[in-house]
């Protein structure tokens, strides 16, 4: 009998290997997103059709590839990220095994267009089942676009094994979120069957988290930060009262890679132990930074389990970091409610300094050299009339002081000339019927009127729903509105919240509702149109943003009722808009995360005249 052992052809070996790396559309999405990040892109688009089964396309504006590299990238163990085995212990990029592209090329029809920034022409490659079909120069923008069509077209067993579209889409969303959560400085958009699922602008981490899990969560996040020589822990935890009955929002990242770690999860749950009821789970987004040599990287690329050499120490540090963050939060929130502004801000020198009545420092944290109490604006001014707002009170007590409030990564300085005595000559100007320009201590502040009003209305509506204090005004003549079947269903589902906003609304059968009253401050008289627009907006948000019902409704109402760009404002209107804005909890960002204010510093202005 002749010899029977043969080497498998590359295409077969690749197909077998592909089974390990690419198990489902979600794994291909993960690999390609990570390649985009590794390539240094700061804008990444993900386009999928049929939960990735028909099409996955990722477009990045990263470094791109030369024609030769583009061809090479599909070879197995072809990588630009490691050269020697030693590199394995220093690896900081996401991929390094050089298997992803070879794998997808083995089991799909793949089209690559890529161009380096310095090249005039890009290259276009079509490859199918590991066979190169064509490679040609092409005109394309700098960066890389990779299209994967008909995943598993040549592996029917795999294809048949895929779950329903919603289940596969869920996996893709999970992978997408895990990547988006470690790259807030990269803008992402994500489309499924032509619909926007996520639109994430570059932002700070806290805003990115809120954009992903629902903007109502922004206020519910507490910062965690602790640096030791074993591990650096940063990130956010949800306030204890935002704990949920499902384990949904628990994320660990180690060196910017999502990991699962039941042991460390226990450390966090321990820290929350006596603060949340049994059966509830804390929300957390915690980022561990450790020396790569301390992590066992000899792990499967698709596995999310890792081993830390020093896991017991990390456990203790993590627990204490979370504890410290909760302690700090409880301290600052007590101060907020006691209205002890004085403790939050520096007092003017000529005023007596009142010693804070705290003898034990719950904020003490052995790992931080100089713990800084969090600087906060007083809570809950929004929705009240502005002369009584937290902002007003704040400035009365703060003549000749500079206040700095930090919101995400923007810092805004509002100076004493913004205090109430001098308000009359503060001066407001409208620019392009779109922006309000006013003077602040540090320069000129420009406020986007529409975004500002959206923020004000959003907090006001949210407050009404939360406090159950919507005020209705009886309609002289009740109006009937007739909606589509699906909108009717939605109104029925939301009728509790809609009533809290101040609508007196009654189902009348046959998709009809009678409106007996509307929110007292609503000037809109076409209720039908308003409702339809609000519901439309609500549904759009529901698809992409996973907002909770209250925030979604408040946001949709705010969006529809906010003053538009293009509307001329009277000085008094500008003044009350600005007052109301700074009474908001988050005056710097619109509900959808757009900046509301920009400051041109005095310095910048001076420089222009040098
Ligand atoms: P790995 O990421 O493990 O190196 P891949 O198969 O994912 O392996 O990619 C192979 C190589 O192709 C990478 O090392 C990189 O040099 C190049 N590459 C892949 N995707 C991109 C991209 N989007 N932009 C630039 N280069 C890329
Ligand atoms: Mg890769």
């Amino acid at each position: 009998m002749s010899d029977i052992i043969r080497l498998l052809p590359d295409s077969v070996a690749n197909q077998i290997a592909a089974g390990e790396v690419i198990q489902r559309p979600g794994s291909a999405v993960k690999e390609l997103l990570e390649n985009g990040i590794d390539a240094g892109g700061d804008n990444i688009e993900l386009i999928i059709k049929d939960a990735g089964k028909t099409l996955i396309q990722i477009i990045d504006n990263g470094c791109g590839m030369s024609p030769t590299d583009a061809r090479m990238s599909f070879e197995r163990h072809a990588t630009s990220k490691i050269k020697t085995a030693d590199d394995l212990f220093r690896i900081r990029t996401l991929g390094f095994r050089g298997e992803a592209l070879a794998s997808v090329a083995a089991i799909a029809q793949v089209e690559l267009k890529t161009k380096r920034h310095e090249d005039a022409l890009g290259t276009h490659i079509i490859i199918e089942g590991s066979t190169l079909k064509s490679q040609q120069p092409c005109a394309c923008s700098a960066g890389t676009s990779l299209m994967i069509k008909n995943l598993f077209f040549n592996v029917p067993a795999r294809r048949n094994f895929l779950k329903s579209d919603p289940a596969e889409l869920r996996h893709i969303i999970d992978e997408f979120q895990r990547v988006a959560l470690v790259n807030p400085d990269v803008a992402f958009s994500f489309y499924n069957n032509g619909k926007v699922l996520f639109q994430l602008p570059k932002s700070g981490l806290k805003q990115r988290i809120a954009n992903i899990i629902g903007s109502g969560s922004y206020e519910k996040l507490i910062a965690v930060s602790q640096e030791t020589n074993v591990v650096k822990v940063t990130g956010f935890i949800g306030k204890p009262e935002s704990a949920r009955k499902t384990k949904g929002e628990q994320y660990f990242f180690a060196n910017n890679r999502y990991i699962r770690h039941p042991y460390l999860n226990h450390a966090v749950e321990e820290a929350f132990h006596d603060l949340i009821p049994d059966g509830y789970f804390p929300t957390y987004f915690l980022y561990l930074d450790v020396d790569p040599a301390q992590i066992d990287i000899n792990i499967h690329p698709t596995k999310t389990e890792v081993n830390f050499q020093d896991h017991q120490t990390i456990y203790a540090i993590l627990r204490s970091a979370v504890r410290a963050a909760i302690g700090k939060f409880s301290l600052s929130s007590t101060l907020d409610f006691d209205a002890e502004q004085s403790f939050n801000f520096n007092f003017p020198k000529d005023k007596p300094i009142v010693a804070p009545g705290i003898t034990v420092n719950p904020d003490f944290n052995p790992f931080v050299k100089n713990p800084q109490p969090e600087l906060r604006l007083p809570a809950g001014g929004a929705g009240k009339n502005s002369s009584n707002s937290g902002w007003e009170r704040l400035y009365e007590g703060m003549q000749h002081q500079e206040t700095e409030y930090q919101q995400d990564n923007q810092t805004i300085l509002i100076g004493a000339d913004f205090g109430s005595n001098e308000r009359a000559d503060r001066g407001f100007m409208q620019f392009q019927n779109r922006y309000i320009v006013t003077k602040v201590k540090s320069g000129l502040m420009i406020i986007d009127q529409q975004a500002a009003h959206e923020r004000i209305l959003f907090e006001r509506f949210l407050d009404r729903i939360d406090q159950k204090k919507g005020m209705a005004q009886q309609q002289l003549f009740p109006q009937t509105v007739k909606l589509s079947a699906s909108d009717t269903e939605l109104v029925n589902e939301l009728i509790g919240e809609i009533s809290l906003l101040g609508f007196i609304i009654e189902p009348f059968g046959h998709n009809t509702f009678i409106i007996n009253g509307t929110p007292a401050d609503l000037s809109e008289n076409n209720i039908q149109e308003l409702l339809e627009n609000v519901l439309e907006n609500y549904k759009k948000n529901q698809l992409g943003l996973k907002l909770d019902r209250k925030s979604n409704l408040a946001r949709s109402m705010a969006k529809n009722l906010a003053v538009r760009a293009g509307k001329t404002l009277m000085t008094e209107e500008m003044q009350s808009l600005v007052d109301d804005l700074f009474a908001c909890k988050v005056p710097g960002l619109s509900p959808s995360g757009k900046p509301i204010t920009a400051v041109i510093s005095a310095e910048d202005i001076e420089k222009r005249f040098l």
Side-chain angles (χ1 to χ4, degrees), residues 52 107 175 197 231 249 267 391 413 487:
I107 50 166
E175 298 293 357
L197 284 191
V231 61
E249 273 137 19
W391 181 63
L413 268 175
D487 279 0

Side-chain angles (χ1 to χ4, degrees), residues 31 35 38 81 95 100:
E31 293 294 338
N35 279 349
D38 282 344
K81 299 167 193 172

Side-chain angles (χ1 to χ4, degrees), residues 31 35-36 38-39 60 63-65 73 78-81 95-102 144:
E31 293 294 338
N35 279 349
D38 282 344
D60 69 58
C63 61
M65 286 178 265
S73 69
T79 178
S80 56
K81 299 167 193 172
F96 57 83
R97 296 168 53 128
E99 285 180 322
L101 292 190
T144 301

Side-chain angles (χ1 to χ4, degrees), residues 190-246:
F190 176 1
Y191 307 84
N192 179 36
N193 293 338
K195 287 202 202 104
V196 183
L197 284 191
F198 289 89
Q199 191 88 60
L200 306 172
K202 285 189 193 188
S203 66
L205 179 60
K206 187 174 180 186
Q207 189 60 49
R208 170 59 55 90
I209 294 174
N211 285 344
I212 289 179
I213 66 170
S215 69
S217 57
Y218 187 91
E219 282 85 9
K220 299 196 184 105
L221 296 169
I222 311 172
V224 177
S225 163
Q226 195 145 91
E227 191 162 356
T228 70
N229 50 16
V230 181
V231 61
K232 184 172 144 202
V233 183
T234 53
F236 291 87
I237 51 175
K239 291 179 183 170
E241 67 265 25
S242 67
R244 297 153 43 112
K245 273 199 147 167
T246 53

Side-chain angles (χ1 to χ4, degrees), residues 35-85:
N35 279 349
I37 302 284
D38 282 344
D42 70 352
N43 191 359
I44 297 185
E45 248 174 90
L46 165 63
I47 299 162
I48 61 171
K49 283 212 181 102
D50 306 321
K53 293 172 186 171
T54 323
L55 173 78
I56 298 170
Q57 181 176 19
I58 298 207
I59 306 167
D60 69 58
N61 62 348
C63 61
M65 286 178 265
S66 71
T68 314
D69 282 351
R71 175 66 195 92
M72 266 299 279
S73 69
F74 292 104
E75 295 298 324
R76 195 136 63 98
H77 304 306
T79 178
S80 56
K81 299 167 193 172
I82 54 173
K83 293 202 177 77
T84 69

